[in-house]
Amino acid sequence: MNLERRTVINREGIVETLNIEKIREKLIRACEGLDVNMVELESNIDSIYEENITTQKIQASLINAAVTMTTFEESDWSYVAGRLLMMEAEREVYHARGFSYNKFPETIKKLTDLKLYDERLLSYTTEELEELSKCIDTTRDMVYDYAGSNMLVSRYLIKYNGRTFELPQEVFMVISMMLALNEEKENRINVVKGFYEALSLRKLSLATPILANLRIPKGNLSSCFITAIDDNIESIFYNIDSIAKISKNGGGVGVNISRIRAKGSMVNGYYNASGGVIPWIRIINDTAVAVNQQGRRAGAVTVALDTWHLDIETFLELQTENGDQRGKAYDIYPQVVCSNLFMKRVKNNENWTLLDPYEVRVLYGLELCELYGYEFEELYEKIEKDERIKLKKVLSARELFKSIMKTQLESGMPYIFFKDRANEMNHNSHRGMIGNGNLCMESFSNFKPTVEFKETEEGNVSIRTNEMGEIHTCNLISLNLAELNEQELEKYVALAVRALDNTIDLTVTPLKESNKHNLLYRTIGIGAMGLADYLAREYMIYEESIDEINNIFERIALYSIKASALLAKERGVYTAFKGSKWDRGLFYGKDSEWYRKNSKFKDEWAEAFYLVESYGLRNGELTAIAPNTSTSLLMGSTASVIPTFSRFFIEKNQRGAIPRTVKYLKDRAWFYPEFKNVSPITYVKIMAKIGSWVTQGVSMELLFDLNKGIKAKDIYDTLMTAWEEGCKTVYYIRTIQKNTNNIAEKEECESCSG
């Protein structure tokens, strides 16, 4: 077969002679510096020959061939496939808009004219755009393996008329320009360059809402929202509306329903009139399905209930296979809120009393779910003895906890929120309390319901008013430890703080209560991914590195405080700073004397205390470690701070087969202990160490391999250890089913995935 005389159809539908040399040039570029034999891939050209084949099909066939050739021993083929896909994306963009990387000012103008880009980008002059254009490094497109490039091209590059219309390095530069919009004019370009370096070199990973929306007009940038429903019809449907608005804009929602009266409670003076929380949860469930995040996927909502609530047992049956289907809600994510008192009674095998919040409210004038610690324990034990209480049920605390565990093994949920642990570490306890966690259990701060709904008339106009509550709102970013060394850590933590603080002023969230929270607390969440890669790079084993891991996250905590204090010097403190624990010199529950006596970084901590005392703090919350299962693929790293699930495997989904490999597979494979082989108790203790340096939380997944003789007591001991060690949350429970390698899991919230 004479390869040189083949004919192909290009993207314009024109028949032309196939240029084999151009294909070879691409293959050489794709294989350069990798441990692969290009001849093996080149031999596939002959096997895909068809008369008048399209150039696009040839490229796709070569990519598929490289994917197929990826093995544990020859994992570099995944990078070949990734590079070929990036080249194909560049070719598609060239044909779609008429130019590639070489005309950055024209790119800004064209995409802004088409309403694909935010018009605020036009505040940059042509001279500034030309200067930034020189900083764009197109070779950075070549660092992605196939999983990363496939995700970037298919999910994040803007499409127009069904065709890819922007390029990866343009994405990072334009996002950097948006992040720096409100910086001082004389220094703005330097700030843009700093952000671009961090993003294009994959030192920092943006959460999905920022990566997807920070350049399109009116895009929501916040990832996490938590609201609370009060016990009246106005509040319930007001919150249904709020959930719909958040879901429409791609946010993940947490909803606290512990104020809603229990089944059988009184309504308008009649007992047994209330249907309890389940009917309202079903409406929330259907809202999440109906408002499907602009057609991409169902809305994502976690519904939280305290363990003392009289409906807790039926709540645990929301997603089980047995029972009345009218009481099921399969599209929400249940979450149980556990107090220290409940956990102590579980440990001591004592009784627990379930109560109706309405009856408590009538008799005591208080919302039980708004209390924690000693104040909760004192009132709860008083209520248990109150003979006036008619609606209650006494049961074994341990049996209730076993029911939680049983449901977790069956469905992976409910999540667990250790309420007292979270509130003990709440730096803003002077302004409220934390009722539960967000959708991925890593982000939370003070929130409270909107109340006092009133309606008045003015002529033919109806006016509804209320007293605004607060909806927890957080923007997320992650440090990619796979790409960072010790010397860079402080620099990129400071950049992360600055970037996230800027997003607060760049976005208008879907709800007024959310905007109120943003401006009151300026909550940001700096997380981390690639911890397993970091340890492997340094030839350290996960289970043996608890001290090193503790040092890393203590430094991240330290540097985030310093950066936020310096930003406060420049821009002012967050509104609720006065009276906070930050203001009172208590950082992570410890005063400066503790750090002087116990920390190996005591001099730097002394500086941090001085900076906060002198300038205050710009952000009320600083850190939150998201699961980032999906965007870690983009970053070429392991997810979050957990051990890798597998060093190498082929993921099969509707888009085909995608090789998944750890970063240092070739020379450090055995420094990646797989999650199923890590002791759950040791893992939980590591998570507790990390969490002690996080102002919000850690998405702590638990994995149990049922093939290894794991018993119910082992799972019980792991969960009890999590509470005793000070963990604030438990995210998914994943299990490897007996006699299989299948991990039972559910999809994470995409909003938190950065």
Side-chain angles (χ1 to χ4, degrees):
M1 183 72 64
N2 186 347
L3 299 181
E4 307 299 333
R5 295 184 61 82
R6 291 182 181 174
T7 57
V8 296
I9 301 175
N10 66 20
R11 287 184 175 273
E12 282 67 45
I14 299 171
V15 177
E16 59 184 27
T17 301
L18 176 64
N19 190 329
I20 296 297
E21 284 308 312
K22 280 191 175 181
I23 292 180
R24 286 198 182 106
E25 287 174 11
K26 283 189 175 182
L27 294 182
I28 290 170
R29 185 181 172 203
C31 296
E32 184 179 2
L34 299 176
D35 186 15
V36 295
N37 183 355
M38 191 186 87
V39 176
E40 294 180 39
L41 185 57
E42 192 174 13
S43 65
N44 281 272
I45 298 174
D46 197 44
S47 65
I48 59 175
Y49 174 67
E50 299 172 16
E51 192 66 38
N52 293 338
I53 190 174
T54 63
T55 53
Q56 185 178 15
K57 186 172 181 181
I58 290 174
Q59 190 76 355
S61 297
L62 291 171
I63 292 169
N64 289 336
V67 169
T68 303
M69 293 160 66
T70 305
T71 63
F72 186 100
E73 293 76 18
E74 295 190 86
S75 57
D76 276 4
W77 283 116
S78 181
Y79 287 92
V80 174
R83 291 176 178 183
L84 288 170
L85 182 56
M86 286 296 200
M87 292 180 210
E88 178 61 16
E90 184 174 359
R91 203 166 83 94
E92 183 175 334
V93 169
Y94 177 81
H95 286 283
R97 69 186 195 192
F99 54 90
S100 181
Y101 270 125
N102 52 347
K103 295 184 178 181
F104 187 59
E106 286 89 334
T107 299
I108 299 298
K109 185 176 188 313
K110 190 175 187 73
L111 273 71
T112 306
D113 288 345
L114 291 171
K115 309 298 183 185
L116 301 176
Y117 276 176
D118 191 311
E119 63 181 12
R120 288 178 289 180
L121 289 165
L122 298 177
S123 67
Y124 288 87
T125 66
T126 302
E127 291 75 19
E128 288 175 324
L129 294 177
E130 292 287 2
E131 182 179 348
L132 293 175
S133 181
K134 295 173 185 175
C135 299
I136 292 176
D137 187 345
T138 60
T139 64
R140 293 174 188 173
D141 284 353
M142 298 292 105
V143 302
Y144 295 87
D145 65 5
Y146 181 69
S149 62
N150 183 57
M151 175 166 287
L152 184 54
V153 170
S154 63
R155 187 176 296 185
Y156 294 108
L157 298 186
I158 287 176
K159 308 296 188 292
Y160 182 67
N161 288 336
R163 300 175 75 177
T164 305
F165 217 70
E166 68 174 348
L167 295 163
Q169 297 307 311
E170 292 171 349
V171 173
F172 298 132
M173 182 58 81
V174 173
I175 287 176
S176 300
M177 292 164 61
M178 289 297 299
L179 283 172
L181 268 179
N182 296 331
E183 296 283 348
E184 295 292 333
K185 191 78 173 176
E186 60 272 13
N187 194 44
R188 187 167 69 166
I189 295 301
N190 288 331
V191 176
V192 174
K193 291 177 181 178
F195 287 148
Y196 172 73
E197 288 295 298
L199 298 179
S200 64
L201 290 173
R202 302 194 294 181
K203 308 280 189 179
L204 295 179
S205 172
L206 300 170
T208 292
I210 303 175
L211 185 56
N213 297 336
L214 186 55
R215 62 196 183 284
I216 68 173
K218 299 180 180 178
N220 166 58
L221 308 180
S222 298
S223 296
C224 309
F225 302 83
I226 309 177
T227 184
I229 299 180
D230 208 8
D231 187 32
N232 55 72
I233 202 76
E234 293 82 10
S235 178
I236 289 168
F237 282 98
Y238 182 83
N239 276 278
I240 296 295
D241 179 71
S242 299
I243 291 165
K245 288 176 180 176
I246 294 170
S247 292
K248 175 185 174 183
N249 287 275
V253 194
V255 185
N256 188 288
I257 59 169
S258 291
R259 293 169 179 79
I260 296 178
R261 66 194 71 189
K263 185 174 183 179
S265 183
M266 183 181 289
V267 178
N268 294 328
Y270 295 93
Y271 275 108
N272 296 315
S274 171
V277 300
I278 302 302
W280 306 121
I281 293 173
R282 284 173 58 82
I283 294 176
I284 293 171
N285 182 95
D286 293 344
T287 302
V289 173
V291 187
N292 59 359
Q293 300 197 354
Q294 302 171 0
R296 293 193 299 268
R297 57 190 288 159
V301 183
T302 178
V303 178
L305 190 69
D306 281 79
T307 51
W308 51 258
H309 197 288
L310 196 58
D311 289 346
I312 188 66
E313 291 175 293
T314 51
F315 181 78
L316 293 176
E317 296 175 355
L318 279 170
Q319 298 191 335
T320 57
E321 296 299 325
N322 59 324
D324 188 349
Q325 290 300 306
R326 291 172 297 180
K328 304 301 180 183
Y330 294 110
D331 300 288
I332 56 97
Y333 300 77
Q335 175 183 163
V336 292
V337 180
C338 299
S339 63
N340 280 351
L341 180 62
F342 173 68
M343 296 305 294
K344 283 187 281 189
R345 292 199 183 177
V346 171
K347 184 177 181 179
N348 298 329
N349 198 16
E350 296 172 342
N351 284 338
W352 185 247
T353 306
L354 306 184
L355 301 164
D356 170 32
Y358 173 75
E359 194 171 20
V360 172
R361 188 162 55 245
V362 169
L363 292 174
Y364 290 88
L366 292 169
E367 290 287 2
L368 199 53
C369 67
E370 293 180 0
L371 306 178
Y372 64 91
Y374 174 75
E375 192 176 2
F376 168 80
E377 294 185 12
E378 185 179 44
L379 179 62
Y380 180 82
E381 291 177 342
K382 182 179 179 181
I383 293 171
E384 283 185 301
K385 300 170 186 174
D386 192 335
E387 295 181 357
R388 295 176 298 168
I389 297 291
K390 292 183 173 62
L391 280 175
K392 68 178 180 179
K393 180 178 180 179
V394 179
L395 73 173
S396 162
R398 184 169 293 179
E399 288 303 314
L400 178 58
F401 196 69
K402 285 180 181 178
S403 296
I404 293 171
M405 290 168 49
K406 180 177 179 293
T407 308
Q408 287 176 322
L409 286 175
E410 184 175 329
S411 67
M413 294 171 285
Y415 308 149
I416 296 177
F417 183 77
F418 294 119
K419 184 176 182 178
D420 291 308
R421 297 300 189 217
N423 281 284
E424 287 161 4
M425 293 284 284
N426 182 9
H427 287 88
N428 294 292
S429 56
H430 67 305
R431 288 294 300 259
M433 54 80 64
I434 306 167
N436 56 268
N438 72 319
L439 186 63
C440 293
M441 300 304 286
E442 90 286 10
S443 180
F444 37 81
S445 64
N446 296 344
F447 64 92
K448 59 185 179 182
T450 292
V451 295
E452 299 295 328
F453 293 89
K454 296 177 182 177
E455 187 171 5
T456 58
E457 296 178 15
E458 287 188 8
N460 200 38
V461 177
S462 171
I463 301 172
R464 296 184 179 184
T465 60
N466 56 60
E467 182 183 325
M468 283 173 57
E470 296 168 11
I471 292 179
H472 162 81
T473 307
C474 187
N475 302 334
L476 301 174
I477 203 168
S478 289
L479 301 163
N480 185 4
L481 299 177
E483 301 292 341
L484 290 170
N485 58 49
E486 285 190 27
Q487 292 69 38
E488 295 176 311
L489 201 56
E490 183 168 13
K491 171 185 175 181
Y492 286 102
V493 168
L495 268 176
V497 170
R498 193 174 199 93
L500 287 179
D501 189 70
N502 287 354
T503 64
I504 293 171
D505 297 320
L506 289 169
T507 188
V508 177
T509 66
L511 300 163
K512 299 297 183 185
E513 295 95 332
S514 175
N515 291 327
K516 175 184 175 182
H517 186 281
N518 251 346
L519 297 177
L520 187 60
Y521 297 105
R522 301 192 72 87
T523 295
I524 62 174
I526 300 170
M529 60 172 63
L531 175 61
D533 297 306
Y534 177 92
L535 296 174
R537 186 183 69 208
E538 303 301 323
Y539 299 100
M540 291 187 286
I541 298 293
Y542 192 91
E543 291 179 87
E544 299 172 1
S545 306
I546 190 166
D547 291 335
E548 177 63 26
I549 292 170
N550 182 72
N551 289 341
I552 292 169
F553 287 93
E554 181 180 353
R555 291 173 63 200
I556 291 172
L558 168 63
Y559 299 148
S560 64
I561 292 171
K562 289 172 64 176
S564 189
L566 290 171
L567 210 54
K569 177 184 179 183
E570 180 183 332
R571 300 174 176 177
V573 298
Y574 71 95
T575 305
F577 172 76
K578 193 67 177 175
S580 68
K581 289 178 182 175
W582 300 117
D583 182 37
R584 287 157 31 214
L586 288 171
F587 299 176
Y588 301 95
K590 311 172 188 74
D591 60 16
S592 58
E593 186 66 11
W594 185 94
Y595 289 95
R596 188 183 69 80
K597 291 180 178 178
N598 296 283
S599 175
K600 64 185 295 184
F601 310 111
K602 60 182 180 181
D603 292 338
E604 290 182 274
W605 277 112
E607 181 187 4
F609 275 94
Y610 169 77
L611 290 172
V612 174
E613 184 180 0
S614 301
Y615 309 119
L617 213 61
R618 180 65 173 169
N619 311 99
E621 303 287 348
L622 296 168
T623 44
I625 299 180
N628 49 52
T629 307
S630 58
T631 44
S632 61
L633 299 181
L634 200 62
M635 295 294 106
S637 74
T638 52
S640 192
V641 293
I642 62 177
T644 184
F645 281 102
S646 179
R647 302 182 188 97
F648 176 88
F649 67 99
I650 304 293
E651 178 185 17
K652 295 180 180 178
N653 55 36
Q654 63 269 29
R655 296 190 298 272
I658 301 177
R660 300 275 296 272
T661 176
V662 292
K663 185 176 182 67
Y664 300 110
L665 179 67
K666 292 176 66 176
D667 57 348
R668 295 172 176 85
W670 304 114
F671 286 90
Y672 284 99
E674 295 185 345
F675 201 168
K676 64 185 179 184
N677 296 322
V678 173
S679 160
I681 297 294
T682 302
Y683 164 74
V684 160
K685 290 181 178 180
I686 291 173
M687 292 297 105
K689 283 287 187 183
I690 293 172
S692 70
W693 298 113
V694 174
T695 65
Q696 297 177 69
V698 181
S699 286
M700 183 179 73
E701 301 178 29
L702 295 176
L703 178 65
F704 298 102
D705 187 349
L706 302 185
N707 293 295
K708 295 185 175 180
I710 293 287
K711 298 180 177 63
K713 186 179 185 304
D714 299 316
I715 300 172
Y716 171 85
D717 288 343
T718 302
L719 292 172
M720 290 301 295
T721 300
W723 167 66
E724 289 172 339
E725 292 289 325
C727 293
K728 303 169 193 173
T729 64
V730 177
Y731 189 34
Y732 281 123
I733 301 290
R734 305 184 191 269
T735 57
I736 300 177
Q737 301 301 314
K738 286 187 177 181
N739 303 315
T740 75
N741 287 315
N742 296 325
I743 297 176
E745 61 178 296
K746 276 203 169 186
E747 196 167 7
E748 69 166 9
C749 163
E750 192 168 299
S751 301
C752 298
S753 65

